[in-house]
Amino acid sequence: MRLVLLGPPGAGKGTQAAAISQRLAIPHISTGDMFRAAIREGTPLGRRAEAYLKEGGLVPDEVTVGLVQERLEQPDCRAGFLLDGFPRTVAQAEALDAWLAGRGEKLDAVIDIEVPRDDLLERLTGRRVCPRCGATYHVRYNPPAAAGKCDACGGELIQRADDTEETVSKRLDVYTRQTSPLIAYYRQRGLLREIDGSQAIPAVTLAVGQALGRDWQ
Ligand code: AP5
Ligand code: MG
Ligand code: ZN
C-alpha cells in the first residue's frame, strides 16, 4: 500500500506510523526523522535544514521533494510505503502525484489524524524520544518502564529541540497555513480517511486499520 499520514504536529503520526508500517510490512518514511538524522551527522543537507527545524518553519520544497524522491526510489519502497510528515504543502503533494504518475502508480489512501489544538501542546511538551532507535514516549500517556530510559534499546531519552512552547505554537501556525489545505486536496481526490486521534493510542491504531479495511484487533 502507498499511504500518507497527515495531521498537525503532535497528532500521533510517528506513533501510529510505527504500528502501521509493522502491520503492513512497508517502510515508514518520516521527513522529520531524515532531517534530524542529517543534522546529527552534520551533512550538507543537515546544515541546510537546521535553522528551519529549530524555528519550526518548513524546509524549502525543492530540498524536501528531492530527498523524498530519492528515498522512494529505493528497492524497499517498491511494494509500498508510509509517508509521515510529507507532503506538507500543496506543491509537495503535486510533486508526489507527478512522480507516482510517471511510474504508473498512485496513492491508496491518506490518513488524516485529527486532534483538538488544545491537546497538541500537552502532547508535544510531554514527549520524550530516543535518539538512538527513534522510539517515542510521553511522560503521561506513554511512559517508558524506567523514567528517562528507552524500553526498546536502553538509550537515554531526550526532549526534541522544537518541542518548546514557543516553537510548538509556530509549528501549529505553519500547519494551519501551509499544510491543512492538503485535507481538501486529498478529499477532492477521494483519498482522505479521517481518524479521531484524540482516542488512546491503541484505539487510534484500530481505527486506522478499519479505515484501510483491516481488522487489527
Ligand atoms: P516532524 O518531525 O514531521 O514533526 P511534526 O509534523 O511537527 O510532527 P511531530 O513529529 O511533532 O508529531 P507526530 O504527529 O509525529 O506525533 P508523535 O507520534 O510524536 O517535522 C519536524 C520539522 O522538520 C518541521 O517543523 C519542518 O521544519 C521539517 N520538515 C519535516 N517534514 C517536512 C516537509 N515535508 N517539508 C518541509 N519541512 C519539513 O506524538 C506526539 C506525542 O504524543 C508523543 O509524546 C506521543 O507519545 C503522544 N501521543 C501520540 N498519540 C497519542 C494518543 N493517541 N494519546 C495520547 N498521547 C499520544
Ligand atoms: Mg513525528
Ligand atoms: Zn531506543
Side-chain angles (χ1 to χ4, degrees):
M1 281 190 128
R2 296 181 184 87
L3 302 173
V4 166
L5 268 179
L6 199 62
K13 299 183 295 296
T15 301
Q16 296 303 327
I20 300 164
S21 71
Q22 198 202 6
R23 282 174 171 81
L24 296 176
I26 49 175
H28 167 203
I29 301 171
S30 158
T31 40
D33 287 349
M34 290 162 88
F35 288 131
R36 281 183 291 275
I39 292 168
R40 259 197 322 274
E41 289 157 18
T43 66
L45 172 72
R47 286 198 293 277
R48 181 123 196 239
E50 191 163 14
Y52 297 104
L53 273 88
K54 206 166 166 201
E55 286 162 19
L58 296 185
V59 177
D61 285 338
E62 67 273 17
V63 176
T64 311
V65 167
L67 178 74
V68 171
Q69 288 184 355
E70 211 174 280
R71 179 65 187 87
L72 292 180
E73 276 158 18
Q74 301 299 309
D76 65 330
C77 294
R78 230 169 266 154
F81 50 76
L82 175 61
L83 286 167
D84 158 11
F86 180 94
R88 245 175 158 95
T89 62
V90 170
Q92 290 180 13
E94 288 169 348
L96 176 63
D97 282 348
W99 183 85
L100 286 167
R103 300 164 64 97
E105 293 166 357
K106 58 185 183 50
L107 292 173
D108 292 296
V110 174
I111 298 155
D112 177 32
I113 306 181
E114 289 293 336
V115 175
R117 191 176 168 123
D118 286 350
D119 296 345
L120 297 172
L121 183 66
E122 194 199 354
R123 285 200 186 179
L124 291 170
T125 51
R127 171 165 57 187
R128 299 293 181 272
V129 295
C130 174
R132 202 195 284 171
C133 76
T136 298
Y137 300 87
H138 190 279
V139 290
R140 187 157 158 220
Y141 301 120
N142 185 23
K149 277 228 166 3
C150 177
D151 292 345
C153 78
E156 194 93 11
L157 302 182
I158 59 158
Q159 224 176 336
R160 251 169 64 173
D162 59 349
D163 278 348
T164 60
E165 232 177 287
E166 193 193 342
T167 311
V168 165
S169 92
K170 170 88 190 291
R171 286 161 58 203
L172 291 171
D173 289 346
V174 167
Y175 171 80
T176 304
R177 255 184 303 118
Q178 296 185 261
T179 308
S180 68
L182 292 179
I183 295 172
Y185 180 95
Y186 286 121
R187 187 181 285 131
Q188 266 165 22
R189 285 158 179 76
L191 291 170
L192 198 73
R193 308 281 182 271
E194 285 164 286
I195 303 291
D196 174 9
S198 65
Q199 313 167 78
I201 294 171
V204 177
T205 308
L206 284 186
V208 171
Q210 247 161 35
L212 298 174
R214 317 263 161 149
D215 184 4
W216 285 345
Q217 290 284 0

